[in-house]
Structures are given as C-alpha cells and as structure tokens.
Amino acid sequence: MKVINLNSRFDLTKVQIEFAKSIMSAFSYDDFICRSFDFNFLMDKIPVFLINEETMEKLERENHIEHRHDQESRPATEWLGMYMSKCNIIGVDYPVIALCPERIVRIVRDDKELCWLVAKVLIHEFSHAAMDKKDYGKRFDRFY
C-alpha cells in the first residue's frame, strides 16, 4: 500500500498500515460468489493520500458532498475518507483514496480503536474502487 502524507498532521503507523493490509488480504479470495477478487491488486495500484481537514473540506465542496451527523453520534465512514476515480489534489489522472487522519483521531478513544477505524475506512474506500466500473471495476465484475 502506498501511503503519502500530503498535508496531514498525522501519519499512519506501520502497525496501522499492516493491520489494514492483513484484513484486506484476508478478503482476497477465489470462490463461487466472488471469483478471483483481490484487494492486493488495488492496494498496489491506488495510492492513499493523507490530507488535513481543510483539504478534505475543499474536496467535499468541489465534489458536492454533504455529510450530516450530529455531534453525539459516530459520523459515516464517508466523512473520514473518500475514493476518487480522478484526483484533483495534485493533478493526477488516476484513482486515489484520500484519508483524513485529523477526523479519525478526533472520534476514537484509544490506539486500538484508531487502528480498527483506519482499517475500516481503508476497506470501505478500496471497496469503492473495486466497484468503479470506469477503472478497476472491470476487473472485478463479479464483486460489483
């Protein structure tokens, strides 16, 4: 997994990255439901950019994304990260995942929960990539 910190105050630790990779690798399988689905392929191809909250808000505005949640409840996974089939953060023309560690850190109670939530958001975003018919979804038709 390629993790690139663009402007976040927080980095992902090696433990957090390896934990997320181990879970996603466990989901890579070949059976009657999902023939040859492979998160490892996506993790090798799609970079994960760590961005600060200001950049995340800018991307949400540019992509007309609104998140509604009250302060008492947990926000939706989409508030913590996003998959973009074309990225305008650094002008690249390939799919990327953006993760906002500032938001994630704000809602967790401890390092264990942080590790789990980072993995959950990454799984969620890589799943969006797998379903994107314009790009990698063609490779994962049965999954889609």
Side-chain angles (χ1 to χ4, degrees), residues 9-137:
R9 292 179 318 188
F10 302 101
D11 279 311
L12 297 185
T13 66
K14 183 175 177 137
V15 169
Q16 292 163 344
I17 293 168
E18 291 303 315
F19 180 70
K21 283 173 58 176
S22 71
I23 292 174
M24 285 189 276
S25 293
F27 282 116
S28 299
Y29 56 88
D30 185 6
D31 72 5
F32 70 98
I33 294 172
C34 186
R35 188 69 55 206
S36 298
F37 180 75
D38 186 4
F39 267 120
N40 294 311
F41 170 79
L42 294 175
M43 287 188 287
D44 287 343
K45 298 291 182 192
I46 301 174
V48 176
F49 291 129
L50 305 180
I51 58 175
N52 65 19
E53 191 152 15
E54 182 180 321
T55 303
M56 187 73 165
E57 289 169 353
K58 179 179 180 250
L59 288 172
E60 289 168 338
R61 281 191 306 274
E62 289 172 355
N63 292 290
H64 309 290
I65 298 169
E66 283 188 42
H67 301 291
R68 290 192 174 99
H69 67 277
D70 63 51
Q71 298 302 324
E72 302 300 315
S73 66
R74 285 290 177 96
T77 303
E78 289 81 9
W79 188 69
L80 306 172
M82 67 174 62
Y83 164 75
M84 294 169 282
S85 58
K86 294 210 184 275
C87 173
N88 59 7
I89 297 173
I90 59 171
V92 295
D93 61 352
Y94 54 86
V96 300
I97 289 171
L99 204 66
C100 185
E102 279 84 352
R103 289 181 176 180
I104 295 171
V105 166
R106 188 178 328 146
I107 64 170
V108 298
R109 291 177 289 245
D110 56 34
D111 286 342
K112 183 177 180 180
E113 189 176 14
L114 176 62
C115 199
W116 276 100
L117 189 54
V118 165
K120 177 184 175 184
V121 175
L122 287 171
I123 290 166
H124 179 95
E125 300 309 333
F126 277 109
S127 295
H128 277 297
M131 292 185 287
D132 187 349
K133 292 299 244 181
K134 293 177 290 208
D135 292 297
Y136 299 111

